[in-house]
Amino acid sequence: MSEKRIREHPVLDFQRKDGFFFDFEGKQVLAYPGETIASALYAQGLQRFTESKLLKRPRGFFCAIGKCSSCIMRVNGVPHVRTCITPAREGMKVERHGAMPEFPDTTLPCPKVKEENIEVAVIGGGPAGLSAAIVAAENGADVHLFDENTNLGGQLVKQTHQFFGRYEEHAGTRGTDIGKDLAKRAEEAGVNIHTNSTVLGYYHKNKIAVDAGNRLEIYGCEGIVYATGAVENFLAFENNDLPGIYGAGGVQTLMNEYGVIPGDRVLMVGAGNVGLIVSYQLLQAGVDVVEVVEAMPTIGGYQVHASKLRRAGVPISTGHTVKKALGNEQVEGAVLHELDENWEPVTGTERTVECDIICIAVGLKPDNHFLRLAGCKMKYVRELGGMVPLRTETLETSVEGLFVAGDSAGIEEATVAILEGELTGAAVTEKIKGGSEKLLAVKKRARAGIEEMRKGPYGQRPLEGVRACTFEGVCPE
Amino acid sequence: MTVTESARAVIIGGGVNGTGIAYHLAKRGYTDVVVLEKGYLGCGASGRNGGGIRQQFSTKENIILAMESTRMFEKLPDELDTEIEFEQGGYLVLAFTDEEVEQFKKNVKLQNDLGLKSSFISAEEAREIVPELNISKVLAGTFNSTDGTIYPFPVIYGYARAARGMGVDIREHTTVTDIVTQGRTIRAVKTDRGTIETDTVVNAAGGWSAGIARMAGVELPNRPYRHEIMVTEPFKRFLEPMVISFQHGIYFSQSRHGNVVGGIGNPHEEQGINQRSSLWFMRTMAKTLTELVPRFSAVNMIRQWAGLYDTTPDAQPILGEVPEVERFFQVNGFSGHGFMVSPVVDKVTAELILGETPSMNIDGLSVTRFKGMDLEMEYSVVG
Ligand SMILES: Cc1cc2nc3c(=O)[nH]c(=O)nc-3n(C[C@H](O)[C@H](O)[C@H](O)COP(=O)(O)OP(=O)(O)OC[C@H]3O[C@@H](n4cnc5c(N)ncnc54)[C@H](O)[C@@H]3O)c2cc1C
Ligand SMILES: Cc1cc2nc3c(=O)[nH]c(=O)nc-3n(C[C@H](O)[C@H](O)[C@H](O)COP(=O)(O)OP(=O)(O)OC[C@H]3O[C@@H](n4cnc5c(N)ncnc54)[C@H](O)[C@@H]3O)c2cc1C
Ligand code: FES
């Protein structure tokens, strides 16, 4: 196993002190504070995290943010632990168990249950959730924010690039810094912050259950802002389950949050902003990007990002896609082919590229199971990435008091997520505590900002999407 | 779109019974049948249940019904050319009170007399069957090895595919809004997509069946009650039987896919059509399950959901015709154990519709039994 931790980086500084060891299948594995079990294991070169149920095919991690279950292992006797969001701890015992572990032979003490009534619960500590919490707390609401990660900031935490948003406050700033700034402001505003706290479910009416490690917490809420972000889309091709095929967001998390490179030679699938940005970040981390393939006839992301890659000598092939991945235990290469205008493969265009990582950047879909559980009326809106809740202009769903913001409401970008957060933060506070001049001003400013964002060439799509799911007055059937 | 059509029979409800009856009718050449389902097939109790197939009942009628149904389930995969995941790992029924011990002894005696090879066992023997079990409060148990679990969806879809293949018209997303009668005769069934003229209607609408009956002016005593259920993460096979305790109202078994599926009844559940998930269930299920099998404390529940029990005063189904309206067949009131008896129920209902003498006498299950009669209680009810 070869060490994959990034030592030097042009933007990030990974401070690694006080290293410790945990036991992985009888071997001692080094980890540093802040690392997850999965990132520490990956840093040692582990690729096979689990296996498929029937054919026992090897499986690696995929999302790295706790949303896909590809990384489950037994930790201190407890099976099915998502190692990608579980912090590594000294002396813990970790082992792989495949898709079907033995029934655990451990018994755990019955978790304590805490029940409390609060004013506002914000679920998700990304840009949307943080912004909502800040506004609500600054306007006198008692706000609790829950995030299942150790670090706040959501997807921003890993965005080392200068922002492509146009919103006056943040354009040109690095995502990581915006995330830190928002987290600090939330703390200053008096938000009660609960990290490593997974919101498990919604119960009638506006009650949430939270897994806070060794405790089950139940909150009765007067208002809820739901902002858990998005899930990465996957792509169908032969061998697509090999270790080494990861979501672009997953690779970004591994690299920029935990300072671990995914491999040596990456094939990027998808030339939207995410694919282009992550490619560039891979180069920054010293990883070779062999090619970017894009099925569409044109590049979907901004030209600035594409140009940077081209200058660095990375070919971007539009009208191309992956036919299959090569390798048995892990990725050793990929077969690409061209697509014609009907998305049919062009015969005779197959070629092989050598790579050890295939990075999938083919879009996101809103993460909003919780809203379905709550009984929110949902609609499929392609422009917003999938199923989304119907909502009012201030993003209240069909369930009274339950608001949605950011990628969970529809896939857009961080600036819109921040603005939607502010808008819902103001609206939920207004609902609970009554209106004020100040709240009105926040709402007005946020709405103007969102409108402005959606005026640009990239705003057309979400604008159409939002129109298709926004209602006035009573929610339609 | 409103069109008027006609059919020899209209079946209301696309659950295991609606589709099963359609299948049995079609097999007998009676294919001019329309099945109406307001959601998708199996969206009612049939697609939300625990899949438990049990023959250990306390009344003669139910035992015979369940025994014959089990035999029919065993043959169903060949008949429908589909895998229904029937795992005959047995049912382990636990007794926690002296009354239960007495009742169970009687049950086993009756079951044995009727040819079912169930046995009365000690707490120790129960632990031999499920080694993870905490038997500190278990007094005794009963076990029958041919009971088991089925995955409901392939059964429903298997019936539907076979029935459709023979010409039955099964329509999803079509809601029945009224039943038109003239005197004691049915004229038509109205839906949100048009009217179907018919003189024969089957009410297989599960938790909604009392409402459907009312459309024809018939009052049924069954009422809907929510019942909740959950599934855990998957594990290598460790649990052979379905384990149940009437005392706790709990049941749980391991599916072929490794997940443990189980539910618990809320004695204070309010009547009504409510399929929301509750916190009460999540907490009570977790607590009770870990009491019975402490090692569940290291296991996560991954999903919970709810369905409707269509409950009658004596916890027995309502089958056959009603006095007020001719050719209005009831197939409802299953009170939480309707999947396991569906093979016989569906076959017999088809026979009644065809005007034949049913192959099993179900007169005792007619709705008329509630008119001033002494009710024979089915004691072996979970939840
Ligand atoms: C590679 C990449 C590059 C990008 N670059 C840009 C850019 O340059 N400019 C731009 O504007 N946008 C960019 N974006 C998009 C932007 O990051 C997102 O639109 C934005 O982060 C969405 O914010 P959010 O708050 O809705 O969700 P997220 O940032 O995803 O935050 C959601 C949070 O919810 C938490 N959570 C999820 N489920 C639960 C649960 N059950 N319980 C508790 N917590 C939970 C998560 O841990 C997470 O912290 C980029 C995205 C990617 C992937
Ligand atoms: C949680 C739970 C666990 C259970 N566990 C077991 C078990 O382990 N073993 C067992 O044998 N039984 C069990 N049961 C009971 C069993 O599921 C039911 O008895 C059985 O499925 C009833 O089937 P059905 O076809 O009669 O009704 P359903 O499956 O309820 O079908 C009725 C259908 O009618 C439709 N409908 C209603 N109104 C209309 C209308 N106006 N127009 C058109 N369609 C309409 C509904 O949408 C529904 O699909 C359980 C039930 C629940 C809820
Ligand atoms: S849940 Fe850990 S990789 Fe997706």
Side-chain angles (χ1 to χ4, degrees):
Chain A
M1 296 208 236
S2 66
E3 164 76 29
K4 289 200 165 76
R5 284 190 179 83
I6 301 170
R7 295 287 163 205
E8 276 169 42
H9 193 280
V11 181
L12 298 169
D13 177 17
F14 296 103
Q15 299 198 344
R16 296 194 182 90
K17 307 196 288 266
D18 308 324
F20 56 85
F21 289 89
F22 65 87
D23 178 294
F24 174 67
E25 297 175 353
K27 286 188 285 289
Q28 290 298 301
V29 173
L30 172 68
Y32 293 96
E35 291 186 343
T36 59
I37 297 171
S39 67
L41 288 173
Y42 201 88
Q44 303 294 308
L46 185 80
Q47 291 241 31
R48 185 183 182 130
F49 278 49
T50 178
E51 59 193 23
S52 72
K53 214 163 174 173
L54 293 179
L55 301 177
K56 311 269 180 260
R57 288 168 62 88
R59 291 274 162 89
F61 81 91
F62 180 72
C63 74
I65 52 169
K67 297 200 181 190
C68 74
S69 309
S70 296
C71 62
I72 49 169
M73 294 187 197
R74 184 181 293 111
V75 177
N76 292 335
V78 178
H80 292 288
V81 174
R82 289 176 295 170
T83 57
C84 73
I85 56 164
T86 306
R89 300 252 186 266
E90 181 154 21
M92 71 185 358
K93 203 166 173 301
V94 178
E95 43 193 340
R96 289 173 291 187
H97 59 43
M100 295 269 259
E102 300 286 346
F103 189 62
D105 58 8
T106 342
T107 54
L108 301 180
C110 179
K112 294 207 171 46
V113 182
K114 177 182 131 186
E115 282 187 74
E116 196 180 327
N117 285 330
I118 59 175
E119 282 182 355
V120 178
V122 176
I123 308 174
L130 283 169
S131 305
I134 293 168
V135 168
E138 281 178 349
N139 286 279
D142 155 42
V143 184
H144 291 252
L145 180 138
F146 304 91
D147 197 292
E148 62 181 349
N149 279 302
T150 314
N151 301 321
L152 292 176
Q155 297 304 309
L156 288 180
V157 174
K158 40 208 105 140
Q159 284 158 29
T160 50
H161 57 289
Q162 303 200 337
F163 242 51
F164 53 71
R166 292 181 305 160
Y167 187 43
E168 67 251 32
E169 275 178 31
H170 300 302
T173 316
R174 294 187 197 282
T176 42
D177 298 333
I178 305 172
K180 280 187 200 132
D181 177 51
L182 288 173
K184 194 165 136 251
R185 281 176 51 205
E187 208 167 305
E188 283 165 5
V191 175
N192 301 290
I193 293 170
H194 307 248
T195 49
N196 299 313
S197 297
T198 304
V199 174
L200 299 173
Y202 174 98
Y203 295 95
H204 191 68
K205 197 191 174 215
N206 289 352
K207 275 194 180 166
I208 61 170
V210 181
D211 171 2
N214 50 10
R215 194 161 74 170
L216 173 67
E217 299 176 345
I218 292 160
Y219 296 92
C221 316
E222 286 179 47
I224 300 176
V225 177
Y226 183 78
T228 59
V231 187
E232 288 191 89
N233 289 334
F234 201 46
L235 201 62
F237 55 87
E238 195 179 325
N239 258 344
N240 68 357
D241 61 341
L242 274 183
I245 302 176
Y246 305 132
V251 163
Q252 197 189 29
T253 306
L254 189 70
M255 193 165 61
N256 297 346
E257 203 168 345
Y258 304 115
V260 174
I261 54 164
D264 298 325
R265 292 167 61 79
V266 173
L267 170 71
M268 179 64 65
V269 184
N273 273 326
V274 172
L276 298 177
I277 291 170
V278 174
S279 295
Y280 188 70
Q281 292 174 351
L282 282 160
L283 297 178
Q284 280 184 319
V287 179
D288 189 11
V289 178
V290 294
E291 187 164 342
V292 179
V293 292
E294 166 60 59
M296 303 273 280
T298 54
I299 293 171
Y302 294 166
Q303 282 304 330
V304 248
H305 297 308
S307 310
K308 269 191 187 168
L309 285 180
R310 288 218 174 90
R311 278 200 300 276
V314 178
I316 303 178
S317 313
T318 52
H320 277 70
T321 193
V322 187
K323 181 168 185 259
K324 68 174 181 189
L326 302 171
N328 291 320
E329 273 296 303
Q330 59 194 63
V331 172
E332 286 164 16
V335 177
L336 309 177
H337 58 192
E338 264 177 54
L339 297 175
D340 65 16
E341 57 274 21
N342 301 318
W343 291 69
E344 294 293 333
V346 181
T347 40
T349 58
E350 286 177 16
R351 65 190 161 86
T352 302
V353 292
E354 241 179 76
C355 57
D356 58 358
I357 300 292
I358 300 174
C359 202
I360 310 287
V362 294
L364 305 165
K365 58 173 163 288
D367 176 11
N368 48 32
H369 305 285
F370 177 92
L371 299 179
R372 294 195 211 193
L373 195 62
C376 295
K377 299 224 169 75
M378 310 290 289
K379 184 173 176 181
Y380 183 82
V381 180
R382 173 196 273 206
E383 292 83 0
L384 295 178
M387 291 298 280
V388 293
L390 300 183
R391 77 294 296 270
T392 64
E393 294 247 298
T394 53
L395 293 141
E396 187 167 0
T397 65
S398 60
V399 173
E400 201 187 349
L402 176 52
F403 293 75
V404 62
D407 282 352
S408 299
I411 305 300
E412 280 185 79
E413 23 179 47
T415 313
V416 174
I418 292 173
L419 292 163
E420 285 187 342
E422 293 176 354
L423 181 57
T424 50
V428 75
T429 312
E430 200 170 48
K431 185 151 200 144
I432 294 169
K433 312 218 80 119
S436 73
E437 289 285 318
K438 204 174 147 202
L439 286 172
L440 213 62
V442 175
K443 276 169 59 179
K444 205 168 147 207
R445 185 169 149 275
R447 279 168 82 159
I450 295 172
E451 211 167 284
E452 158 108 14
M453 284 297 298
R454 291 185 184 144
K455 268 192 195 139
Y458 289 89
Q460 219 33 52
R461 228 176 112 84
L463 184 64
E464 274 168 38
V466 167
R467 280 200 187 125
C469 57
T470 304
F471 65 89
E472 257 179 84
V474 182
C475 183
E477 277 306 311
Chain B
M1 187 187 67
T2 45
V3 281
T4 304
E5 326 159 74
S6 65
R8 272 181 89 179
V10 170
I11 299 173
I12 305 173
V16 68
N17 286 311
T19 55
I21 293 163
Y23 166 74
H24 282 284
L25 283 172
K27 228 172 51 167
R28 307 288 308 277
Y30 192 108
T31 57
D32 183 15
V33 172
V34 182
V35 179
L36 300 174
E37 167 53 54
K38 72 180 166 79
Y40 54 88
L41 297 182
C43 73
S46 298
R48 296 166 183 262
N49 65 54
I53 305 301
R54 164 165 61 104
Q55 301 157 89
Q56 302 178 67
F57 279 90
S58 70
T59 67
K60 185 178 162 199
E61 251 144 1
N62 278 342
I63 297 168
I64 294 174
L65 205 58
M67 281 174 70
E68 178 56 22
S69 290
T70 303
R71 279 192 284 272
M72 288 174 74
F73 272 130
E74 285 165 356
K75 292 187 210 126
L76 207 55
D78 282 340
E79 207 177 316
L80 296 178
D81 190 21
T82 189
E83 174 56 70
I84 62 170
E85 301 183 12
F86 191 8
E87 297 280 353
Q88 286 174 294
Y91 248 67
L92 173 62
V93 189
L94 302 173
F96 288 84
T97 66
D98 295 335
E99 295 81 66
E100 277 189 315
V101 171
E102 286 319 302
Q103 178 70 36
F104 284 14
K105 281 184 186 154
K106 278 191 221 151
N107 292 356
V108 169
K109 167 96 187 29
L110 180 63
Q111 289 156 7
N112 291 168
D113 287 349
L114 293 167
L116 187 70
K117 296 199 177 79
S118 57
S119 42
F120 186 84
I121 59 174
S122 68
E124 276 303 329
E125 285 168 317
R127 194 167 55 185
E128 274 163 34
I129 298 169
V130 180
E132 295 80 8
L133 204 62
N134 166 17
I135 53 164
S136 62
K137 292 182 184 150
V138 176
L139 299 182
T142 66
F143 184 73
N144 174 48
S145 66
T146 55
D147 293 348
T149 56
I150 278 181
Y151 188 49
F153 281 103
V155 178
I156 305 165
Y157 283 84
Y159 281 146
R161 193 180 55 214
R164 276 177 170 144
M166 292 183 276
V168 172
D169 183 356
I170 300 180
R171 299 182 196 172
E172 297 175 275
H173 304 291
T174 308
T175 305
V176 172
T177 54
D178 200 8
I179 298 172
V180 185
T181 53
Q182 192 174 40
R184 297 183 66 234
T185 313
I186 295 176
R187 290 287 175 214
V189 171
K190 284 192 176 171
T191 78
D192 57 348
R193 293 171 177 231
T195 300
I196 303 167
E197 290 175 349
T198 187
D199 66 357
T200 303
V201 170
V202 179
N203 179 4
W208 294 264
S209 56
I212 294 289
R214 222 165 284 137
M215 291 178 185
V218 173
E219 202 50 53
L220 295 180
N222 25 338
R223 294 292 174 262
Y225 288 89
R226 167 173 70 180
H227 189 89
E228 298 183 78
I229 178 166
M230 60 101 227
V231 60
T232 71
E233 301 155 330
F235 297 99
K236 284 206 184 90
R237 191 137 192 99
F238 73 97
L239 181 63
E240 284 302 325
M242 169 82 98
V243 179
I244 65 176
S245 153
F246 299 118
Q247 189 64 22
H248 300 86
I250 197 173
Y251 59 88
F252 57 95
S253 70
Q254 191 178 20
S255 80
R256 184 175 291 184
H257 304 274
N259 311 74
V260 175
V261 177
I264 192 163
N266 184 346
H268 306 295
E269 187 64 56
E270 280 173 33
Q271 179 188 310
I273 294 194
N274 173 6
Q275 299 194 86
R276 276 200 203 104
S277 292
S278 78
L279 255 173
W280 179 91
F281 170 80
M282 192 249 277
R283 295 176 64 176
T284 313
M285 185 69 197
K287 194 162 166 280
T288 314
L289 202 52
T290 42
E291 253 167 49
L292 294 177
V293 178
R295 284 155 63 178
F296 270 112
S297 59
V299 170
N300 287 309
M301 217 181 257
I302 58 174
R303 262 193 308 284
Q304 68 175 107
W305 66 94
L308 297 175
Y309 271 22
D310 181 32
T311 303
T312 58
D314 60 356
Q316 307 242 49
I318 296 176
L319 302 179
E321 286 192 271
V322 294
E324 300 92 332
V325 180
E326 279 169 18
R327 295 193 69 73
F328 185 32
F329 297 91
Q330 305 308 313
V331 186
N332 46 55
F334 290 100
S335 311
H337 49 266
F339 206 96
M340 49 183 92
V341 294
S342 60
V344 171
V345 163
D346 297 348
K347 181 164 173 262
V348 166
T349 303
E351 289 162 353
L352 289 175
I353 294 169
L354 289 162
E356 297 171 359
T357 311
S359 49
M360 189 175 287
N361 183 347
I362 52 155
D363 287 350
L365 295 172
S366 150
V367 69
T368 53
R369 72 180 184 273
F370 296 108
K371 290 235 162 70
M373 273 174 62
D374 228 12
L375 302 181
E376 186 183 6
M377 259 317 266
E378 171 55 67
Y379 290 103
S380 305
V381 177
V382 210

